[in-house]
Amino acid sequence: MTDLLKQLEQIKKTAAERHEKHTRKALCEVHQSEYIEDNRTASGNYEGECPLCKTERESAAMAELANLRRIKRIKQSGLPPRFHDRTLESYKATNPRQQSALEAVKSYVADLDGLRNGRSLLMIGNVGVGKTHFAAGVINELVKPDNKFDAVYTTARDMIRDIRSTWKNPDRDESEAIDHYAKTSLLVIDEVGVQYGSESEAILMFDVIDKRYGSRLPTVFISNLKMAEVKAILTDRIIDRLREDNGLTVQLEWTSQRGAA
Ligand SMILES: Nc1ncnc2c1ncn2[C@@H]1O[C@H](COP(=O)(O)OP(=O)(O)O)[C@@H](O)[C@H]1O
Ligand SMILES: [Mg+2]
Ligand SMILES: [Zn+2]
């Protein structure tokens, strides 16, 4: 019994000595901490990595991966590439009106509160004042590496054309097309009013908005028409739903910034 124990001790000792031979203490210059280099290469060098450095390297790689997934969701949104990098930070507010518009959009984003309320946003203003830039900013604020939110950007005309295209397509249901717009975390409908404004268009638009309203999902509407015209196009049924969820209207009343950025 004692012999067996002694043998066991010896085996442990030899293993420890062998390990010692193949390891070396090293100092991490970044962290000013000691660590063990435990890999002896064929050429007799010691190799190893500071565990703190390793953790940092791995979490940076994971963050990078998460960010790539986020960028993919932005690309999949249909937002034109020109606007992928447009954010609320890159928006320059050079006059009080722009400042208050920026504040309003920022407060809208804050109120989305991880999509807990279906609050919608209506932005109206002339061409070139930064409406689509703001929409890109909202998308970029919502779609983050640490969440799974997605977004769909479309013009009103493209959305209606897309849903209608299913009528002649046996492979795709109308309801499937509607769900693409109805189920996304955030829907941006740009250029409201550029569609033809027929009753069947209003009905399609309502189908999408009503489904989103039922799931308390937010929608951003953008138009360069006057408020009264926008209301007429969206119809009372949609306007009532926006109002009920405390919808926000932001009017961008200044001249074009195109080329100013
Ligand atoms: N205040 C601003 N700061 C930075 N860039 C801006 C600003 N306003 C507009 N832009 C830029 O000007 C161009 C036109 O804006 P855009 O959002 O397309 O206008 P709109 O959709 O209202 O027609 C875009 O490239 C946009 O990024
Ligand atoms: Mg635009
Ligand atoms: Zn280190």
Side-chain angles (χ1 to χ4, degrees), residues 207-251:
D207 284 347
V208 171
I209 303 310
D210 193 49
K211 266 201 162 177
R212 298 186 63 74
Y213 167 81
S215 322
R216 308 207 75 179
L217 289 169
T219 307
V220 174
F221 298 88
I222 300 174
S223 182
N224 53 22
L225 300 181
K226 298 271 168 292
M227 192 61 196
E229 295 169 311
V230 175
K231 278 187 175 168
I233 283 169
L234 290 180
T235 71
D236 286 344
R237 292 204 293 177
I238 291 178
I239 295 291
D240 284 349
R241 276 159 178 67
L242 304 191
R243 199 173 288 137
E244 190 184 325
D245 278 328
N246 192 27
L248 177 71
T249 301
V250 177
Q251 308 214 26

Side-chain angles (χ1 to χ4, degrees), residues 92-108:
K92 295 188 199 77
T94 51
N95 65 50
R97 282 177 174 177
Q98 288 179 328
Q99 251 146 29
S100 70
L102 178 61
E103 286 315 310
V105 175
K106 278 185 177 168
S107 80
Y108 172 74

Side-chain angles (χ1 to χ4, degrees), residues 28 30-31 33 50 52-53:
C28 169
V30 179
H31 295 99
S33 61
C50 157
L52 298 174
C53 283

Side-chain angles (χ1 to χ4, degrees), residues 18-258:
R18 193 177 294 143
H19 184 66
E20 193 109 302
K21 248 192 233 167
H22 292 276
T23 63
R24 189 176 67 177
K25 276 185 185 162
L27 179 75
C28 169
E29 306 216 330
V30 179
H31 295 99
Q32 288 300 311
S33 61
E34 268 191 1
Y35 65 95
I36 305 291
E37 289 183 325
D38 57 1
N39 186 27
R40 189 90 192 260
T41 62
S43 54
N45 288 325
Y46 295 92
E47 281 179 349
E49 187 179 19
C50 157
L52 298 174
C53 283
K54 186 172 184 230
T55 310
E56 282 175 12
R57 187 172 52 77
E58 284 171 353
S59 55
M62 262 156 74
E64 173 66 17
L65 201 68
N67 195 44
L68 287 175
R69 289 206 193 98
R70 181 189 70 84
I71 291 167
K72 195 172 160 203
R73 280 180 285 147
I74 303 262
K75 283 185 179 160
Q76 282 171 343
S77 74
L79 185 68
R82 160 191 293 276
F83 290 96
H84 285 178
D85 63 348
R86 299 295 201 267
T87 62
L88 299 185
E89 275 82 58
S90 73
Y91 181 86
K92 295 188 199 77
T94 51
N95 65 50
R97 282 177 174 177
Q98 288 179 328
Q99 251 146 29
S100 70
L102 178 61
E103 286 315 310
V105 175
K106 278 185 177 168
S107 80
Y108 172 74
V109 168
D111 282 354
L112 281 178
D113 191 23
L115 240 49
R116 260 184 280 276
N117 58 60
R119 193 180 191 204
S120 289
L121 171 66
L122 170 60
M123 279 190 281
I124 51 183
N126 288 328
V127 172
V129 293
K131 301 183 295 298
T132 305
H133 185 128
F134 272 140
V138 175
I139 291 174
N140 274 303
E141 289 295 323
L142 184 76
V143 177
K144 290 286 183 191
D146 58 357
N147 68 39
K148 289 197 158 59
F149 297 149
D150 58 2
V152 168
Y153 167 95
T154 182
T155 63
R157 183 167 49 190
D158 283 350
M159 180 175 81
I160 284 160
R161 191 186 285 146
D162 182 38
I163 297 171
R164 274 187 177 164
S165 75
T166 62
W167 299 352
K168 287 182 201 143
N169 181 352
D171 298 327
R172 195 158 160 250
D173 264 11
E174 184 190 32
S175 65
E176 200 183 300
I178 286 177
D179 281 354
H180 173 67
Y181 302 99
K183 290 192 170 166
T184 186
S185 314
L186 179 80
L187 175 66
V188 175
I189 308 178
D190 207 342
E191 291 171 25
V192 170
V194 179
Q195 77 272 37
Y196 311 108
S198 73
E199 188 159 354
S200 75
E201 283 163 7
I203 290 167
L204 285 183
M205 180 89 93
F206 179 77
D207 284 347
V208 171
I209 303 310
D210 193 49
K211 266 201 162 177
R212 298 186 63 74
Y213 167 81
S215 322
R216 308 207 75 179
L217 289 169
T219 307
V220 174
F221 298 88
I222 300 174
S223 182
N224 53 22
L225 300 181
K226 298 271 168 292
M227 192 61 196
E229 295 169 311
V230 175
K231 278 187 175 168
I233 283 169
L234 290 180
T235 71
D236 286 344
R237 292 204 293 177
I238 291 178
I239 295 291
D240 284 349
R241 276 159 178 67
L242 304 191
R243 199 173 288 137
E244 190 184 325
D245 278 328
N246 192 27
L248 177 71
T249 301
V250 177
Q251 308 214 26
L252 298 92
E253 298 169 309
W254 53 85
T255 48
S256 171
Q257 300 293 300
R258 208 157 268 159

